[in-house]
Amino acid sequence: MIEILVQSLEGSFINNWILSKAWVWPALEIMHFIGLSLLLGAMLIIDLRLAGFLRNFNIQAIHHLLPFVALGFFLNLATGLLFFVGDPARYTVNIGFQLKMCLVLIAGINALWFALKINSQLKFMDPYGDTSKSAKITAYVSLIAWFGVLLLGRLIPYVGTG
């Protein structure tokens, strides 16, 4: 199954375009870094506030950071897919990439939990007070998952097939 995916991507128009232009990969790296900065920068503030820190920030005001999170995530999704199409044989067998994708899935499930359960609780919380236990757990899962994504993404060029 994976071999079929790799074979169908290698030699494709997008794969050839990414590999044939010297500027494409570095440009993707820059955009991926900008996306990661937006995503992690905003998530750090949101998660620290949900974890009970940064109490001088109004808990309801963290909603203003969510568009930065979304923009960063979708920028990274787009550039990450292009990285994958550009070198599918390397990514499919890379343990760092595989673990990174597992953490992205965990972070996504955690974000869904936040959207469905925690977000509605925020309007009833003291704007500058402590947060609920479930909000704190959600925040710590998010912090661990996203910083794991960051670290594993950085390790992809240096780790092999496990």
Side-chain angles (χ1 to χ4, degrees):
M1 174 86 170
I2 301 248
E3 295 85 20
I4 295 169
L5 175 66
V6 170
Q7 289 173 359
S8 66
L9 292 176
E10 286 181 335
S12 68
F13 171 78
I14 296 173
N15 174 268
N16 286 329
W17 176 72
I18 291 169
L19 296 179
S20 68
K21 308 289 184 206
W23 58 269
V24 173
W25 200 277
L28 290 173
E29 289 280 1
I30 290 167
M31 289 188 295
H32 202 71
F33 180 78
I34 291 168
L36 191 61
S37 297
L38 288 168
L39 171 66
L40 287 182
M43 285 306 302
L44 181 63
I45 294 168
I46 292 168
D47 289 338
L48 287 175
R49 180 60 186 101
L50 287 175
F53 302 101
L54 303 177
R55 290 194 191 168
N56 56 330
F57 287 26
N58 183 325
I59 192 83
Q60 288 91 11
I62 64 174
H63 282 92
H64 298 297
L65 295 173
L66 293 176
F68 294 102
V69 172
L71 177 62
F73 177 79
F74 287 112
L75 190 56
N76 277 10
L77 178 63
T79 55
L81 285 171
L82 290 171
F83 285 138
F84 186 82
V85 172
D87 198 357
R90 180 176 84 169
Y91 285 104
T92 54
V93 297
N94 187 287
I95 190 71
F97 176 76
Q98 293 167 0
L99 292 172
K100 177 182 175 178
M101 291 301 101
C102 288
L103 287 178
V104 168
L105 179 63
I106 290 168
I109 292 168
N110 193 57
L112 184 62
W113 174 258
F114 170 81
L116 296 175
K117 298 291 182 184
I118 306 302
N119 195 29
S120 61
Q121 296 174 4
L122 294 182
K123 51 187 160 240
F124 302 111
M125 290 183 189
D126 176 1
Y128 300 99
D130 202 6
T131 56
S132 67
K133 187 175 184 176
S134 60
K136 288 179 180 176
I137 292 169
T138 302
Y140 286 119
V141 169
S142 177
L143 284 166
I144 292 166
W146 284 118
F147 278 98
V149 167
L150 171 71
L151 296 174
L152 287 166
R154 196 57 222 126
L155 288 176
I156 288 171
Y158 307 105
V159 297
T161 60

